[in-house]
Amino acid sequence: SGAPFQTASAMASYIGTSVQYILAYDAPNQTFQLFTPTNPLTDFRLTTGQAVYVVNDASAPASIALVGGVPPSGSVSFSLVSSPGGSFNFFSIPLNRSDLTSAAAVAADIGAGVAAALKYDEATQTFQLYSPGNPPTNFPLAIGEPFGVILTSGAVSTWP
């Protein structure tokens, strides 16, 4: 089991020369990690369930199959960061959580301290934002999909 790729550079090599950047969010430091294939010093480690964003040029294939070991059901959890002003956390919907089909469902499952939830919309190249208590902003999610939450003080430190 484990991530099919241990580093951003290994993922970029698998995808091919269309990769311009690979991004992942470093929640403890509240900053994005950015790998550029032309600069090996920017490489970083990947973890199972981590949300990873790949920026490709126009030569990219229409789809990419990522194949690797699937961790045992319930074995993946995420360390979350919260603060009074709100801290960003990005992860993927766990493979064993088919009940989490919307931003509202994930926010409710995490519980207190969820100020907002977001996911990247490839079609519009923007983030969709859900505000708990504002049903029109809810959006669907699927198992394995990258997702983010903004957590304020009082939120859990590990999920699920």
Side-chain angles (χ1 to χ4, degrees):
S1 71
F5 307 103
Q6 298 300 310
T7 62
S9 62
M11 178 179 268
S13 292
Y14 176 80
I15 295 170
T17 59
S18 66
V19 174
Q20 295 181 320
Y21 308 103
I22 293 182
L23 292 103
Y25 199 70
D26 177 3
N29 293 308
Q30 291 293 288
T31 186
F32 276 99
Q33 296 173 287
L34 175 71
F35 170 69
T36 307
T38 57
N39 184 355
L41 296 177
T42 62
D43 201 9
F44 56 88
R45 293 198 55 74
L46 300 176
T47 59
T48 301
Q50 180 178 22
V52 177
Y53 300 92
V54 180
V55 178
N56 289 300
D57 65 23
S59 71
S63 64
I64 299 164
L66 302 178
V67 180
V70 176
S73 181
S75 68
V76 175
S77 64
F78 304 99
S79 295
L80 303 177
V81 177
S82 62
S83 67
S87 294
F88 287 89
N89 296 267
F90 289 88
F91 44 86
S92 61
I93 303 301
L95 300 177
N96 66 321
R97 295 301 305 269
S98 60
D99 59 313
L100 301 176
T101 59
S102 69
V106 173
D109 196 69
I110 292 173
V114 177
L118 48 126
K119 81 169 184 177
Y120 193 71
D121 182 342
E122 298 88 2
T124 63
Q125 297 288 294
T126 61
F127 279 96
Q128 292 178 279
L129 182 70
Y130 165 69
S131 237
N134 187 1
T137 62
N138 195 16
F139 50 80
L141 289 169
I143 291 173
E145 186 167 13
F147 179 78
V149 291
I150 300 172
L151 299 177
T152 60
S153 297
V156 296
S157 60
T158 303
W159 180 83

